[in-house]
Structures are given as C-alpha cells and as structure tokens.
Amino acid sequence: MRLILSDFVLVCDEGFGIIENGGVCFDEKIIAVGDASELLAKYKDAQVERLSENSVLMPGLINSHVHLEFSANVATLKFGDFMSWLRSVIASRDELQSECDEEMIARTLQDILKSGVTTIGAISSFGLDLAPCVKSALNVVYFVEVIGSNPAAIDTLFDDFKARFYEAKKLKSGSFFPAISVHSPYSTHPVLARHALDIARAEGVQTSAHFMEAACEREWLDNGGGAMAEFMKAFNPHSKPMSSAKEFLQLFHDTKTLFVHAVQAKDEELDIIAGQGGSIAHCPRSNALLGTHALDIANTAKHGVGLTLGTDGLSSNISLNLWDEMRAAIFTHQNCELEGLAALLLKSATINGAKALALNKGVLSEGYDADIIALKLPQSPKDISQLPLQIILRTGKAEAIYIGGVKR
Ligand code: BEZ
Ligand code: FE2
C-alpha cells in the first residue's frame, strides 16, 4: 500500500473537486483520497512519498481516439481540406503501412505513456498494432475496424474483420479490451455495420464510429451530392448514400457508442446519441488540419452528450500528446469561459473518457483502478481557480505514472 502526498489532488469527479495538501492511498485500486495529514494518521503502514513543491496528482489521462498504424505519416498526407486528405489517405495507405512496423508502434505507445496517458482507444485497421498494444503497459481499448462500401465485397470484408476481431479477442486481458469500430456512414455498408454490431452486442464489447466529420460528408449523406460524390464513384460507379445519418445512428441501438468528431451533427442526431448513452470523441487538431471546423462543445453539452478527447492519428495530427490536444482546444474554443473550459477538458480526458470506454478509471476515488499520474508545475497559481488552466498550459509529460498501482 502506497500513500503519495502532493500540493494538489485533482479528483476529476463530476463536481471536479480539488484538494490542497492532499494525498492518494492505493494498491491496485484506490483505497482513499483526501487531506494529507488525515491520510497519514489513518494509513500508518503505507509506504509514504511526499512529492516536491507545486506537485499535482490526478487520474491518468485517457486518449479516446487514436490510429497507431498511421504513425509513419509526417508529410505524406495532404492537410487543409477533408476530401484532398481522404484522397491522399487512399493513395498512400499501403505506403504508410509499409513504413510503419511493430517497433515504431511500440515507440509511439511508450511516448504516449510518458506524456501521462494511461489508457487509449486505438482504432485498428489492419492488425499491425495488435502485438505492441497487447505488450504495452498502457490500457488499450482495441477497436477492430470494419470498412467497405462495395456490396460485392461484403462477405470477404466481413470474414477479414471477423478474423482480426477474434484474434484480438483471444488476447483479452485486464489491460487489453477488444472492441469494434464501424469506420463511418459513408465508407461502411450498413449490412457490414449491422453484422459487426451484432457481434459487438453478443460479445458485450465497446463500439465506436467516425460520424459527421466534414461538411462534404453531411452533403453526401443528406442529398448524395457535393465533393464526396465524385470520390465515391471510385468504390462503386453507381454509388448512392447507403443510409441517412439518422439510419446510421439507429444501427447502434443498444450500444453506448463513441462517435468520433460529430462536428456536423444536427441537434436531432445529438439527441439520438444522448438517448443511446453514447459519447463524442473531440479531436480539435485533426479537425483544424483537415479543415472541418470546430465542434460546438456548448451545444453537445446542452444535448447531454458526454465529451471525450482524442488526438486522432498522426495521419491528421503532429503529435499524440493529449496535453498538446488540450492546449489546442483552449485556443479553439474562444467563445467558452476559460476556467470552465479547462475543467471540461480535464474531465473529457479522464472521467468522461473512462465512462465512454466503460472502464473503472478516470477518477481518484475509493474503488477505482489506481491509474494515477504525478505532475509538476513551474509555479502554483495564486488563485486556485486557475489551477486546471495552468495544468493544461504548463504540462507536457508526467513526472510519475502508476497503472493498476504499478509504477511505470
Ligand atoms: C471503401 O472502402 O469503400 C471506402 C473507404 C474510404 C472511404 C469511402 C469508401
Ligand atoms: Fe479517426
């Protein structure tokens, strides 16, 4: 049993509690959180460590949406416009895959861990990331992806998906959780999506899907027109939208799905997501680099949809550091009150991410998994209400990382 004491403890519960001169007592689970002197008096057998000045303890961060298999991208893919980017992904997918190996993915995972992220939601398109994800110290929710719009290829694509999913399922553990991702409404045939989601419900695994990432996706699904129409002909010369946005969401009944981006989602679609108990993965830098505009986070909150935070892959970002992502979000959402925004982002990256991935993590409270990080600020803010903001502005990595109570 360890007892770590710090200047500040960020509980990351619903009320976003902050304890000054606090501590966390834990083994593999959190035993108690509270005032430092009270914990010292109560847990006399604990191995005690007092962190240095300006220290912060908080739950390990959760990056809810990342594509590790695209980690080789630096300047291969075209940024600036969603359709140009998507064309470049299709053209360079094989090249990027061949430049990425297990070693690169293992290094990427190690960098993610050092930043203070203890859990990721990883979208796996090919299976190249399977072994490194299983071996990693990180908790990985491993979303095996199903994709393909050509009706003639459904059987082959479904067989390939099933092989990848059941391979991952064999490796399920206390830190590796197989899950299922339907790529998007424009790229995945509803029959394929339905079959994959039947497996998700039968196996009781988490689900995710890209949804309403760009205006051209909106236009294509709503009326079969726009910049996406020409692109879709390459996959099927007679292609039409395969479902409406609403029909696509309805495929996910009885799941609590993590919908990624949703920057173009309409109010009634947000209501469907909220009604299903779903969440949104917000990836502000990916949205900025693909020219798809910022998510209206005040509106998603108004509709009762839980907000989580993701970096997306290096296919649409310059780093997989969730602190960089939070800083970008601070500069993106200039219409939001700043201190409230900082607290929302830290909750998105902890408690909300854990809820969306159905994990007993993301909060420093008795009974939760002891996934804990220690941070060091250059200076403590004079006004404690500025602490969440200062943490986001001044942090790039964790000083110490515990996963399931084990130091990493
Ligand atoms: C397909 O595989 O059919 C597809 C992939 C990406 C975008 C659209 C369609
Ligand atoms: Fe993505």
Side-chain angles (χ1 to χ4, degrees), residues 183-205:
H183 179 260
S184 77
Y186 63 84
S187 64
T188 312
H189 198 285
V191 171
L192 205 46
R194 199 170 293 120
H195 288 336
L197 291 168
D198 283 343
I199 295 180
R201 282 183 283 261
E203 298 283 349
V205 300

Side-chain angles (χ1 to χ4, degrees), residues 86 90 147-150 186-187 231-232 235:
L86 191 55
I90 301 298
I147 185 170
S149 58
N150 185 347
Y186 63 84
S187 64
F231 168 84
M232 290 306 296
F235 295 92

Side-chain angles (χ1 to χ4, degrees), residues 65 67 210 260-261 312:
H65 181 76
H67 303 255
H210 295 91
V260 183
H261 302 306
D312 223 338

